[in-house]
Amino acid sequence: MGWMLDGREPRKQIERSALKRLGKNKIVMWQFKNYWNIAILVNTLVPFCIGYGIGGSLQYAMAGFIFIGVGRAIQQQATFCINSVVHFFGSKEYTNGTAGDIPALFFMFLGENWHNFHHAFPRDYRNGHKWYQLDVHKWIIVLMEKLGLVSNVIRTPNERIKAKVELTKQQFTINMKKQLNDIETMFTKFVETLTKEIDEHINQVSVNVNNRLIKLKQKALFLGKRIEYLTNNSNEIKQKEIEKILVKLRQLEFDFGKYVSYNA
């Protein structure tokens, strides 16, 4: 989403390497120098003219602009989302990698929304392997197979899929325990620092500051109980629980940091 508009340094490095190879090509350089003019023209005026050329009226011209110009832009963004949105969100039943499965996005991705399964079994022709999982691409391939147009279609055995699911659950539990142990270590250090700060300033600062410090410690102790519970029940938790704990811990550290900076 917006990758083409990203002007940060990594993209500039890619441009330099591309120019080194293609810089002598006059057509490429013309396109490079006039990128925005070409982009606007091709995505607005050209579709408008195509629509008008087909129907000879303003209605056809607007239809051309909407379906060829705007529609193609939306389709491109949907394609980009497969490597952005689906790699940030979604369930991870088959592998603990970055990709997830997001059922609700079928109508946008037509089957690519089952991305976690695809990463776990990349040679399988399906993305949504279960019969009820909506996946236009697998239906097309099956139809072509029935018509004799394709052969050697790879289907991952159910036994292997089940084994992968169990392995993923075990790996997830191990990862959760490790993350919780790391959080517990961070939390312990934070509480030690906070307690020391309170003991040093309890009689040196105003009542309001004391109250803020005490409330901060109460929040920290409450969070500590939550961390302890999750550590003892790590088989039942989800990644979202870990992320919430980290957010709360960082917020506490931020609030405490503000206090220390203010009273330094």
Side-chain angles (χ1 to χ4, degrees):
M1 299 294 286
W3 291 347
M4 289 183 175
L5 307 179
D6 189 354
R8 289 176 294 181
E9 189 61 28
R11 182 172 177 268
K12 291 179 181 177
Q13 291 174 356
I14 293 171
E15 286 172 357
R16 291 193 194 103
S17 63
L19 286 173
K20 189 174 181 180
R21 290 183 289 108
L22 303 171
K24 294 180 181 180
N25 189 307
K26 292 182 179 180
I27 296 176
V28 171
M29 291 306 298
W30 174 81
Q31 182 187 29
F32 182 77
K33 290 177 181 178
N34 297 281
Y35 173 79
W36 281 110
N37 293 331
I38 297 169
I40 293 170
L41 179 70
V42 169
N43 288 283
T44 57
L45 186 59
V46 172
F48 187 88
C49 291
I50 290 174
Y52 187 82
I54 293 173
S57 68
L58 181 61
Q59 184 179 1
Y60 272 84
M62 288 304 299
F65 170 71
I66 293 170
F67 288 101
I68 300 175
V70 177
R72 189 163 58 86
I74 294 172
Q75 182 271 325
Q76 284 181 330
Q77 291 301 320
T79 301
F80 297 154
C81 282
I82 294 169
N83 283 327
S84 55
V85 174
V86 183
H87 278 259
F88 280 95
F89 307 103
S91 60
K92 299 178 180 179
E93 184 179 0
Y94 307 99
T95 178
N96 283 318
T98 58
D101 288 342
I102 310 179
L105 292 183
F106 161 74
F107 296 101
M108 187 175 179
F109 298 155
L110 305 179
E112 290 290 336
N113 50 298
W114 309 108
H115 215 55
N116 188 253
F117 181 85
H118 165 67
H119 273 241
F121 307 102
R123 298 182 71 231
D124 198 302
Y125 80 98
R126 303 161 294 183
N127 286 321
H129 77 99
K130 297 175 182 176
W131 68 267
Y132 56 83
Q133 290 178 327
L134 303 176
D135 182 355
V136 170
H137 311 104
K138 74 177 178 184
W139 297 334
I140 292 173
I141 293 172
V142 168
L143 177 61
M144 293 176 71
E145 185 183 32
K146 298 285 186 186
L147 296 173
L149 298 175
V150 298
S151 59
N152 300 322
V153 176
I154 295 175
R155 293 175 173 84
T156 307
N158 287 332
E159 293 76 16
R160 188 181 167 202
I161 294 174
K162 290 178 181 177
K164 186 75 171 176
V165 169
E166 288 302 316
L167 179 62
T168 300
K169 286 180 181 178
Q170 293 173 13
Q171 290 174 340
F172 178 79
T173 301
I174 293 170
N175 290 339
M176 290 300 98
K177 287 181 178 179
K178 183 179 182 304
Q179 287 187 57
L180 281 168
N181 288 333
D182 292 343
I183 290 173
E184 198 167 22
T185 301
M186 291 168 57
F187 175 77
T188 302
K189 290 181 180 179
F190 170 71
V191 171
E192 287 177 357
T193 307
L194 176 62
T195 303
K196 182 179 177 183
E197 194 74 25
I198 291 174
D199 291 341
E200 288 179 359
H201 292 82
I202 196 73
N203 296 317
Q204 301 175 22
V205 294
S206 66
V207 174
N208 287 336
V209 174
N210 276 337
N211 288 338
R212 285 203 298 272
L213 276 173
I214 291 170
K215 285 181 179 178
L216 200 61
K217 186 174 181 180
Q218 288 173 344
K219 288 182 180 178
L221 293 175
F222 179 79
L223 184 61
K225 291 180 181 178
R226 184 62 181 161
I227 292 172
E228 184 180 359
Y229 171 81
L230 292 176
T231 304
N232 295 330
N233 298 274
S234 56
N235 293 333
E236 302 174 9
I237 63 172
K238 297 181 179 180
Q239 183 66 36
K240 287 182 180 178
E241 290 281 354
I242 298 289
E243 291 169 358
K244 286 179 181 177
I245 290 293
L246 279 171
V247 168
K248 289 180 180 178
L249 180 56
R250 285 168 185 154
Q251 184 63 48
L252 280 173
E253 289 176 328
F254 177 75
D255 292 341
F256 180 64
K258 283 200 304 184
Y259 163 78
V260 172
S261 299
Y262 182 78
N263 293 281

